[in-house]
Amino acid sequence: MSDSRSEHTSFDAIVVGAGFAGLYTLYRLRELGFSARVLERGSQIGGTWYWNRYPGARCDVESLQYSYSFSDEVQQEWHWTERFASQPEILRYIDFVAEKFDLKRDIELNAGVKSAVFDETRERWTVTTEDGRQMDCRYVIFATGVLSVPVEPSIPGLDAFQGKVYRTSKWPEAAVDFAGRRVAVVGTGSSGIQVVPAVAQQAERLFVLQRTPNYSVPGYNAPMDPDFERDWKANYREHRQQAAATRNNNLFRPGTAAGRDTPPEEREREFEERWKTGGLGFTYAYPDLTLDEEVNRHASDFVRRKIAGKINDPEVAARLVPTEYGIGGRRLCVDNGYYETFNRENVTLVDLREQPLVSMTEHGFRTQAADYAIDDLVLATGFDAFTGALVRIDIRGRGGLPLKQKWSDGPANYLGLTVAGFPNMFMLAGPGSPSVLSNMVISIEQHVDWLAACLGYLKSRDNASIEARPEEEAKWVDHLISLAQKTLIFRTKSWYTGANVSGKDNSYFMYMGGTNNYVREITAAADASDYGGFIIK
Ligand code: N01
């Protein structure tokens, strides 16, 4: 990729991360005439879609929507082969876009960033890579991903295990063959639910270690319907506009009538209809589906019945059905044959609530009920989301204050884009924005478009500095909390609230008021008030 590693060390902007966000940022920075460098720790571009290349990995937002909208040429030229794109296809798409716009010449691979330090006298950032190289820039932009730092699970004896250990979030580039092997998968979130059916097809024996069952709806993935694709390509602009008017940048046909005011038989029909369609649209049947207790109970019971109906053994079914929380409180999963996998002879569900995991052993694992022999262990155990990637970089703002310290009580931010005390620093799709509650590619574009307008404004003022006003940041945090408190997510423990990482539980990692409202708010903060929430000098 870029072979100009040591030629230039000073840039208008440095972007950290070459996933969807980093690539589009580079494209817009070039349009502004900024000198820019993208630093990527992976050995390929693609971010999430480079690292999470486990068998079965697939996006659960439809391919025609989970793609860049900024270039109609790209939209027309690229052909998605399936309703939900697989990880290899998304990676090929990202590469296609990077080649088309000649982005790679400004990207350095294998260039993890160790620190970013703000120099108050020069009002510039010094960015240091893990191999000790220093660069400096006026503006630093973190496009580091929301789910890019895996959590190391607390499993006693992991080091003692003599078999192979694979992580879904860091899967080897070479294909892994599980034929003839005894495998255990730990974790039943979106990653586990995708990897389990794929491993089950190969492995001699598969143990699925489940701690908390999740709700999963069918994906019904299928080859792309040519008529559907033709319609989208002919009307892409309208489809994108309609999606941007929703609360998540995604066309889920959101219901408008309150579930509370809808008779139960009618609700049942609507749920059935949405179940047949498949995908994440299930929870958008009614605007109060995750707010009203009765409606939520009905939707949860409906999915519980559907799950149970897929499993031959009623005892296994009872273990797979979530009972402790309502649908929508945690990230809904989308599966292609996950539940049916438990009807296979070679697959055993190990319910860690009935038989807690005691430890790994040299050749297997031990629960309070039994010892199990395995050859390979697959960890699908989740991420230190939202802030994990940012606090692992030694980011220091005004007065040398580490971001990690500033965020010891929560990720204070203004507009989900900036942090008071950290001038000329921007975060993309991270804490304080709708982030993973939306179609991320479009949310990323909305962030980058805001950033580009802001940088254009600063450029027109002689490359001025920008910094969030602390009082505006405090108001934004209160706003995030009050939005969160209205939701079921707030009352349910999951990685959405940081509950999967010790000491991290928090309520305001995301803006929960909908992407449409969010875009209105950040646009108003820029246009209507002429960046009045910021100090610009
Ligand atoms: O991670 P998770 P993920 N012992 O945190 C379990 C996106 N994504 O990688 O729930 C035993 O959801 C943990 O158990 P519990 C998507 O946004 C998207 O699966 O804490 N178990 C849980 O079951 C998704 O939500 C796509 O009780 C342990 C699992 O590990 C997000 O990424 C595909 C354990 C972790 O689930 C994260 O999903 C994949 C332990 N010590 C991911 N520690 C698509 O687009 C953890 N667990 C389709």
Side-chain angles (χ1 to χ4, degrees):
M1 213 137 292
S2 171
D3 53 6
S4 55
R5 277 200 157 219
S6 53
E7 280 173 24
H8 302 288
T9 55
S10 191
F11 302 95
D12 292 324
I14 287 180
V15 183
V16 186
F20 270 108
L23 294 183
Y24 182 46
T25 305
L26 175 59
Y27 175 88
R28 295 300 306 264
L29 288 170
R30 284 210 194 138
E31 277 187 340
L32 285 167
F34 276 36
S35 63
R37 177 59 40 114
V38 179
L39 302 175
E40 166 57 53
R41 92 187 139 103
S43 58
Q44 257 189 59
I45 61 170
T48 275
W49 297 104
Y50 163 71
W51 296 101
N52 291 270
R53 49 182 177 264
Y54 55 86
R58 184 177 292 290
C59 185
D60 55 18
V61 174
E62 294 195 21
S63 52
L64 283 157
Q65 299 198 56
Y66 189 85
S67 46
Y68 287 124
S69 70
F70 74 87
S71 159
D72 196 47
E73 248 180 88
V74 169
Q75 292 189 146
Q76 298 301 331
E77 278 175 37
W78 183 260
H79 165 62
W80 293 105
T81 64
E82 293 177 276
R83 177 182 181 191
F84 295 103
S86 67
Q87 173 271 335
E89 187 164 40
I90 299 174
L91 205 54
R92 283 199 296 279
Y93 167 80
I94 292 173
D95 202 64
F96 164 78
V97 174
E99 289 287 351
K100 184 172 178 67
F101 297 113
D102 188 23
L103 298 177
K104 292 182 180 177
R105 69 183 151 86
D106 288 323
I107 301 172
E108 279 189 32
L109 300 174
N110 304 306
V113 168
K114 191 167 75 181
S115 68
V117 178
F118 185 65
D119 176 341
E120 288 183 56
T121 45
R122 294 166 58 238
E123 304 223 324
R124 291 180 72 86
W125 285 87
T126 303
V127 175
T128 307
T129 58
E130 268 153 15
D131 59 8
R133 287 172 308 120
Q134 289 203 329
M135 297 169 207
D136 109 316
C137 60
R138 183 75 163 148
Y139 306 107
V140 67
I141 299 147
F142 289 99
T144 38
V146 176
L147 295 157
S148 45
V149 174
V151 173
E152 202 46 45
S154 53
I155 299 177
L158 199 50
D159 290 343
F161 178 59
Q162 301 286 303
K164 293 203 174 112
V165 180
Y166 301 97
R167 288 169 171 76
T168 48
S169 53
K170 216 179 169 186
W171 202 262
E173 296 209 16
V176 178
D177 186 4
F178 290 111
R181 304 192 58 92
R182 297 160 302 175
V183 185
V185 173
V186 186
T188 53
S190 296
S191 304
I193 278 177
Q194 289 189 329
V195 82
V196 159
V199 176
Q201 280 172 27
Q202 280 189 0
E204 181 186 299
R205 184 103 237 112
L206 172 62
F207 300 99
V208 180
L209 278 60
Q210 170 192 267
R211 196 164 62 179
T212 313
N214 275 301
Y215 291 91
S216 182
V217 294
Y220 304 127
N221 184 43
M224 180 61 70
D225 173 347
D227 290 336
F228 187 67
E229 184 183 16
R230 213 170 295 120
D231 166 68
W232 266 77
K233 288 194 168 177
N235 301 290
Y236 236 129
R237 183 199 292 260
E238 291 72 23
H239 289 311
R240 296 293 199 184
Q241 277 169 351
Q242 283 161 6
T246 69
R247 289 174 63 82
N248 38 52
N249 288 324
N250 216 328
L251 288 175
F252 287 136
R253 224 175 24 86
T256 47
R260 196 179 334 133
D261 302 334
T262 309
E265 318 78 67
E266 206 177 301
R267 283 201 305 244
E268 185 75 12
R269 272 197 299 277
E270 180 66 23
F271 292 148
E272 194 64 56
E273 196 53 43
R274 286 185 184 253
W275 186 266
K276 280 193 203 128
T277 309
L280 295 168
F282 183 84
T283 46
Y284 294 90
Y286 299 102
D288 54 352
L289 189 144
T290 56
L291 303 172
D292 184 272
E293 257 181 55
E294 192 212 318
V295 183
N296 187 259
R297 195 176 315 115
H298 187 175
S300 306
D301 282 344
F302 177 92
V303 177
R304 288 175 188 136
R305 277 183 266 130
K306 288 290 185 190
I307 296 172
K310 293 183 186 209
I311 318 286
N312 298 341
D313 181 336
E315 285 185 15
V316 176
R319 293 184 183 111
L320 283 166
V321 167
T323 51
E324 290 158 19
Y325 61 98
I327 191 165
R330 295 172 133 222
R331 167 65 149 79
L332 183 62
C333 301
V334 177
D335 71 277
N336 288 286
Y338 173 67
Y339 294 109
E340 293 79 352
T341 304
F342 293 93
N343 295 331
R344 294 174 66 108
E345 289 284 298
N346 65 333
V347 177
T348 304
L349 178 67
V350 179
D351 189 339
L352 300 179
R353 295 167 303 175
E354 286 170 3
Q355 44 174 317
L357 186 59
V358 175
S359 69
M360 295 304 296
T361 58
E362 265 186 43
H363 301 290
F365 64 95
R366 178 171 302 145
T367 71
Q368 281 184 4
D371 270 12
Y372 297 81
I374 57 165
D375 305 302
D376 303 323
L377 177 69
V378 174
L379 296 173
T381 41
F383 298 88
D384 183 353
F386 307 108
T387 54
L390 292 161
V391 299
R392 272 169 185 74
I393 299 172
D394 186 7
I395 301 174
R396 288 173 190 251
R398 219 173 260 299
L401 180 71
L403 184 65
K404 192 174 178 176
Q405 191 177 323
K406 158 124 188 173
W407 280 358
S408 53
D409 291 331
N413 66 82
Y414 177 50
L415 304 180
L417 280 150
T418 60
V419 180
F422 294 76
N424 299 345
M425 178 186 107
F426 301 89
M427 313 174 290
L428 298 177
S433 74
S435 189
V436 290
L437 293 181
S438 67
N439 174 355
M440 281 290 269
V441 181
I442 302 303
S443 287
I444 282 167
E445 286 186 332
Q446 290 164 342
H447 254 189
V448 176
D449 290 344
W450 188 96
L451 169 72
C454 177
L455 292 178
Y457 176 84
L458 298 173
K459 190 179 181 192
S460 72
R461 287 165 188 250
D462 212 12
N463 286 332
S465 275
I466 185 165
E467 183 178 354
R469 293 180 190 276
E471 63 277 18
E472 292 299 324
E473 181 178 87
K475 274 196 246 163
W476 182 254
V477 168
D478 287 346
H479 182 44
L480 293 173
I481 294 170
S482 72
L483 288 171
Q485 281 169 341
K486 295 180 191 142
T487 67
L488 186 60
I489 289 175
F490 180 75
R491 299 191 293 279
T492 313
K493 297 231 171 292
S494 79
W495 67 264
Y496 273 168
T497 61
N500 65 330
V501 175
S502 127
K504 193 178 167 183
D505 219 347
N506 200 293
S507 59
Y508 65 90
F509 288 116
M510 294 176 286
Y511 174 100
M512 300 196 206
T515 43
N516 47 357
N517 295 319
Y518 175 74
V519 170
R520 263 194 287 279
E521 293 204 50
I522 61 170
T523 307
D527 300 348
S529 68
D530 206 16
Y531 297 97
F534 296 93
I535 303 154
I536 294 186
K537 58 177 190 202

